[in-house]
Amino acid sequence: MHYISTRGGISPIPFKEAVMMGLARDGGLLLPEILPQVAPETLSRWHSCSFQELASEIFRLFITDIGAEQLDELITRSYSTFTHPEITPVVKKGEMFILELFHGPTLAFKDVALQFLGNVFECILEETGSRMNIIGATSGDTGSAAIYGVRGKERINIFILHPHKRVSPIQELQMTTVTDPNVFNLAIRGTFDDGQAIVKAIFNDIPFKDKYSLGAVNSINWARILAQVVYYIFAWCTIKQKTGKESLDFSVPTGNFGDIFAGYIAKNLLPQGAIRRLILATNENNLLTRFVTRGDYSVSEVVATSSPSMDIQVASNFERYLYYLYGCDPVRTREDFGLFSKSGKLHFDADLLDKVQQDFASKSVTEAETLDTIRTFYKDHNYLLDPHTAVGVNAAQARTSNDIPVVCLATAHPAKFGAAVTRAIGKAPILPPGLDGLEDKESRCEVLDPDVRVVQEYIARHALL
Ligand SMILES: *Cc1c(COP(=O)(O)O)cnc(C)c1O
């Protein structure tokens, strides 16, 4: 399997090279050359797989330059840090299935991909005897998950930009209390979008990128998308086993279009109709909902909500979907992103919108609805939703056809967002062992201006060479 760019400017490369490249060198995003179709007999074998076995099966379709045994070893190691034996269990609450993705070391779904990515990086670097510097922007959860994925690894330094004072106190502490010498936390005076723009600009500075062997952990990295495909199919298999149902909707709280894009890939791997529709749930930052419902993709101001990991206006993975929407046309993709970077908007006509709506439905959920959903769900099911998950559950409840089951992705543990939960139910969630006592730990963080040059200078001073 080889990887190509959505903008058509690179010759096909194998998986390991794609992982190291992160953002494609022509400014596009990397995608597999073809999307394999899973044969029915393969699928029936998958039904009895554990999460790790299923990961191995799926990864092997997309990773042909790492040996099967080594791949399995990477998978085993990556998921040994999870506290639940099923890794991503499905629970049923009323009529709804909840896919719990928060049993990893930092209690959010990003661990599923970043534990694996950290180990893949290490494996490749050992093989080539080289080093790398990871740089990434976070709205809160990616940062800690990425840091936990690579802390203490000898051949890697990691630089994580988070928006200063705009992440939850626990999110901040989860990052800044990791004081391994290879971890650098940079608090940027600005929004997540400022941080992400800086990271993109640095990756587009090819001489700088090459000099410091920069690697990406943002969801622009294909390995992250790939690892997330696994739990969609795992949930589909689990529910088919339990209920005999072969068609599902998934509701996905979305910011960067990363997680839901993994769902789109899963939808395309499975037989037609296995995943009927992906419900794209947004908070009050409703760019993607406007896209799905009206064909209007236009950036506006970021507003702060109780689901901060979705307070995003530029959805970095959107380009991948657009490439498929345009029938794998890199010229059209490149042209439209050229337009978009100038005007901040794209418009889609009725034909394209129709295509979009065959794959997606969408709802933008208000703050009041989010808190109300946490409260009601707790009252009805004695089960606490984190605010991101609540956005997804609320959007799922708004489905117009309830004829098939819906699976809501629970993207974070409620204790990570204790303030919002407390506002909803009048008491704080119980902290799980991993979060207890964080305030008392030693912490380390640098506050910087939102300026590409300032960040580059910092990296230059602290990078591994
Ligand atoms: C990152 C994150 C999201 C959004 O995921 P995307 O891949 O950016 O769409 C949702 N919920 C939580 C808890 C997150 O950390």
Side-chain angles (χ1 to χ4, degrees), residues 108-110 139 141-142 219 224 228 253-260 309-310 312 386 388 411-412 417:
F109 82 91
K110 293 184 173 88
S139 54
D141 291 333
T142 305
S219 49
R224 280 191 58 181
Q228 289 169 198
T254 307
N256 241 327
F257 209 83
D259 202 6
I260 198 160
S309 297
M310 290 151 56
I312 292 172
D386 104 287
H388 304 79
T411 51
F417 300 93

Side-chain angles (χ1 to χ4, degrees), residues 329-403:
D329 182 345
V331 176
R332 191 166 174 197
T333 308
R334 187 172 63 228
E335 281 171 3
D336 269 15
F337 270 85
L339 286 179
F340 177 73
S341 65
K342 288 196 199 88
S343 66
K345 57 178 177 237
L346 289 173
H347 187 79
F348 298 85
D349 64 24
D351 282 352
L352 282 175
L353 190 56
D354 192 49
K355 239 170 119 180
V356 172
Q357 291 176 351
Q358 282 165 25
D359 290 322
F360 299 97
S362 186
K363 180 182 176 189
S364 163
V365 178
T366 65
E367 278 295 279
E369 286 173 321
T370 305
L371 295 188
D372 194 51
T373 304
I374 296 176
R375 188 179 313 120
T376 312
F377 212 82
Y378 184 61
K379 189 162 73 62
D380 293 347
H381 307 295
N382 196 28
Y383 185 86
L384 262 184
L385 304 170
D386 104 287
H388 304 79
T389 307
V391 167
V393 167
N394 183 287
Q397 286 164 342
R399 280 195 308 170
T400 45
S401 44
N402 293 335
D403 47 330

Side-chain angles (χ1 to χ4, degrees), residues 53-117:
E53 287 163 351
L54 185 63
S56 171
E57 295 265 341
I58 294 171
F59 290 178
R60 269 187 260 172
L61 299 173
F62 292 93
I63 306 175
T64 48
D65 55 344
I66 299 180
E69 216 168 286
Q70 192 172 18
L71 198 53
D72 286 348
E73 191 272 324
L74 288 173
I75 291 168
T76 306
R77 199 144 43 88
S78 301
Y79 298 111
S80 66
T81 54
F82 281 62
T83 53
H84 196 286
E86 287 166 49
I87 314 299
T88 63
V90 180
V91 298
K92 189 159 190 251
K93 299 291 162 190
E95 288 305 300
M96 217 163 257
F97 290 95
I98 307 280
L99 173 57
E100 293 185 342
L101 302 173
F102 50 72
H103 295 285
T106 72
L107 308 176
F109 82 91
K110 293 184 173 88
D111 287 325
V112 177
L114 285 163
Q115 286 289 307
F116 175 66
L117 183 60

